[in-house]
Amino acid sequence: MHHSTQRAALAAAAVAAAVTAATLSAAHAAPAPAAPRTAGVSVTSGGTAGDAAVSSAVISRDGKVAAFASEAGDLVAGDTNGSSDVFVRDLAAGRTERIALPGRQLRGPSLSRDGRHVALITAPAGDYGASDVRLYDRRTKTFQRLDVELPDGFAGKGAGTVSLTPDARYAVFDTRQDEGPDGQVVFLRDRRTGTTERISHPAPSGEPRSAHAATVGDDGRKVVYAHSYTNGPRGDDWSDVWLRDRATGRLTQVDRSHDGARTEKESLEPSLSGDGRKVVFESRDTHLVPNDDDTSWNVFVHDLASGTNQRVHGTQGGPGEAYTRSPAISADGRRLTYVTELREPGSRYGTETPVYVRDLRTGRTILVTPDTTGGAASATVAPGAVAADGRRIVFLSADAHLLRDDTNEGDDAFVRHLG
């Protein structure tokens, strides 16, 4: 073969090989990430808003199912009890299952990793003072009481909230003391050993205090809760955040100052990351980080290893301009959701209070609750409403533009797919 002909043949073969390689590479390339979108969760079979508002919403750790509580009667067929039930929605299939108990109203769900187990609060119709804590197994369709084997002085009534570990072994909840200075007390139920232990500390010096809003780490070792005056604010520092390490028995105040100074303002809405390394909460105190000259509420991230706090400002506003509140954190402690204000230029007050998610590793912040007009919708995200990978977040919003035929004049549940 002539040299020029041979070179041409080799070049053609190289081109063909390159084209083939590119074709094969494209065929095996990962699909492009889906565009972010919002979908209704508390919706009818036709995709419209339910006929009653939603009171709480969470998502399973694997991001496949969401649970919420509502008095709506048109979300599933045959719902005629006119009471608050808990609903579980398969987000991929779009199917909704109702969990109900005759004569009782259900609220405050917490999900296991795969959504099989649902911890919830139940109460006789019209009497939340007699509320208890139960676990529902969606596979066996059975209920199990969790607020059992309580010490003397606790009748298993007046339950407030419950938080379940991903494996459904541990549940932490608060329930009312019959008499005494402790209003609500936090307990942990170990379903494997069949034991119940008190977590929260007694009220100091007989002061009327309540322990509430407890969350538990995935391994059941650490529990975080708020400790507040039972009858509401008394002075400025009326609520603190505490952590109990069950392995050591040690009790630690989380919302402590950076330099040992006395704290002066309240801290609320704590929650613990699944890995047990970070606690998030909101506070008005100005001693938690150095040089805090902020005049508003802030979300703080407390690192349990270092004992230090990180203050989180919103992207719209800054020191003294706009608050951050209502935090929730992902299981690995990386992604944080919070509410902040949106303000028009020159406006003194916020026009909307949307939810954002911040990657604490990169600092990147993304709007979770865009509305349908190019703006942002006011919303809230609760602890337990962020999937493990942070790509699905369940929120509540009363924005009537997010769902068709939304006339219930209250919150509906949504899931934001971040792509």
Side-chain angles (χ1 to χ4, degrees):
M1 181 182 293
H2 194 275
H3 289 302
S4 59
T5 303
Q6 186 177 25
R7 284 195 298 269
L10 290 173
V15 170
V19 170
T20 301
T23 301
L24 291 173
S25 177
H28 290 85
R37 62 185 177 89
T38 298
V41 173
S42 56
V43 293
T44 67
S45 59
T48 60
D51 58 15
V54 173
S55 62
S56 58
V58 292
I59 194 169
S60 60
R61 188 67 65 79
D62 63 12
K64 294 182 178 180
V65 302
F68 60 93
S70 177
E71 294 183 3
D74 59 351
L75 302 180
V76 298
D79 185 356
T80 60
N81 64 6
S83 183
S84 175
D85 300 315
V86 164
F87 298 85
V88 178
R89 185 168 177 84
D90 184 314
L91 298 177
R95 292 191 300 267
T96 300
E97 169 191 345
R98 180 172 70 111
I99 303 173
L101 266 175
R104 300 188 75 86
Q105 48 194 339
L106 281 56
R107 61 180 174 87
S110 178
L111 289 169
S112 62
R113 178 181 288 106
D114 59 0
R116 171 181 171 177
H117 294 94
V118 187
L120 41 79
I121 307 297
T122 89
D127 185 9
Y128 276 121
S131 55
D132 60 28
V133 189
R134 306 194 189 200
L135 185 80
Y136 181 73
D137 187 326
R138 295 174 57 219
R139 184 177 301 171
T140 64
K141 310 298 182 185
T142 56
F143 284 93
Q144 174 188 3
R145 282 286 295 269
L146 295 175
D147 52 343
V148 294
E149 300 185 37
L150 297 170
D152 292 342
F154 294 88
K157 295 182 178 180
T161 60
V162 60
S163 174
L164 189 66
T165 55
D167 61 0
R169 173 176 176 176
Y170 300 101
V172 291
F173 58 90
D174 59 278
T175 190
R176 188 180 64 240
Q177 186 181 42
D178 298 340
E179 295 180 2
D182 292 318
Q184 298 291 115
V185 174
V186 171
F187 290 91
L188 178 141
R189 178 68 177 173
D190 185 336
R191 295 179 58 240
R192 182 177 300 172
T193 63
T195 57
T196 302
E197 67 181 270
R198 177 169 175 158
I199 297 296
S200 60
H201 59 292
S205 305
E207 296 176 352
R209 296 284 184 114
S210 280
H212 57 99
T215 56
V216 59
D218 289 355
D219 60 2
R221 173 174 173 173
K222 296 174 183 176
V223 180
V224 166
Y225 59 93
H227 204 238
S228 314
Y229 278 107
T230 300
N231 298 321
R234 296 187 180 190
D236 286 327
D237 191 9
W238 57 270
S239 181
D240 296 306
V241 175
W242 293 84
L243 179 138
R244 173 77 70 184
D245 187 325
R246 296 178 55 239
T248 64
R250 182 181 180 186
L251 183 69
T252 304
Q253 184 175 347
V254 174
D255 62 323
R256 59 185 185 270
S257 64
H258 70 94
D259 58 1
R262 182 184 179 91
T263 55
E264 298 177 346
K265 302 290 183 180
E266 70 272 18
S267 299
L268 295 164
E269 298 200 30
S271 60
L272 177 67
S273 61
D275 60 12
R277 296 181 179 180
K278 292 179 180 176
V279 179
V280 295
F281 59 95
E282 63 177 39
S283 181
R284 286 200 307 136
D285 201 88
T286 59
H287 299 81
L288 304 182
V289 295
N291 304 315
D292 188 350
D293 56 358
D294 204 324
T295 60
S296 63
W297 285 88
N298 287 133
V299 165
F300 291 87
V301 180
H302 181 82
D303 185 289
L304 291 171
S306 66
T308 58
N309 297 314
Q310 174 187 351
R311 183 179 55 177
V312 177
H313 277 303
T315 54
Q316 278 68 35
E321 288 294 326
Y323 61 70
T324 54
R325 300 194 70 174
S326 302
I329 194 162
S330 61
D332 60 2
R334 176 171 177 174
R335 294 170 179 86
L336 170 78
T337 63
Y338 59 88
V339 170
T340 190
E341 286 183 297
L342 279 182
R343 294 184 180 181
E344 298 294 336
S347 173
R348 183 179 178 183
Y349 301 103
T351 57
E352 300 286 352
T353 54
V355 174
Y356 290 84
V357 59
R358 179 168 298 176
D359 187 322
L360 296 175
R361 185 180 302 170
T362 66
R364 186 186 182 200
T365 302
I366 300 172
L367 176 65
V368 175
T369 59
D371 63 18
T372 55
T373 66
S378 295
T380 57
V381 171
V386 183
D389 60 5
R391 298 176 65 182
R392 293 185 179 186
I393 300 171
V394 167
F395 65 90
L396 297 183
S397 178
D399 191 311
H401 297 94
L402 295 178
L403 280 176
R404 290 188 294 112
D405 302 325
D406 188 355
T407 59
N408 61 37
E409 298 182 350
D411 283 334
D412 298 292
F414 302 87
V415 59
R416 181 65 174 174
H417 301 260
L418 293 177

